[in-house]
Amino acid sequence: QNIDLDYNSKIRLTELGFSNKSIVTLMYKSMTKSLYAYKVKNTIIALRDKAAQNIYVVNPDGGRYE
């Protein structure tokens, strides 16, 4: 999937554990939708809106959460 981020941001997300095969859980979404927290590899990682827009969490049945 294409990610609308600059190269350094893509590398940073990959280094944090985000990949197509990662198990990612959305833990928190601020009321203003400007901050999101995800659980990746047993760690909670907070992302601002720009980076979080490129994270798609899929439920085990194949549906996508946004």
Side-chain angles (χ1 to χ4, degrees), residues 25 29 48 55 59 65:
T25 305
K29 178 172 47 173
R48 295 182 196 272
I55 306 297
N59 72 32
Y65 301 108

Side-chain angles (χ1 to χ4, degrees), residues 29-53:
K29 178 172 47 173
S30 69
M31 292 178 68
T32 60
K33 297 184 181 177
S34 61
L35 182 68
Y36 297 78
Y38 297 92
K39 183 176 182 181
V40 182
K41 296 187 177 184
N42 232 14
T43 302
I44 305 295
I45 299 170
L47 298 174
R48 295 182 196 272
D49 183 43
K50 175 75 173 161
Q53 289 175 0

Side-chain angles (χ1 to χ4, degrees), residues 4-21:
D4 184 27
L5 288 173
D6 61 82
Y7 177 78
N8 289 332
S9 295
K10 289 179 189 179
I11 295 298
R12 179 174 173 264
L13 287 176
T14 302
E15 289 173 345
L16 289 172
F18 290 93
S19 72
N20 289 338
K21 304 291 182 187

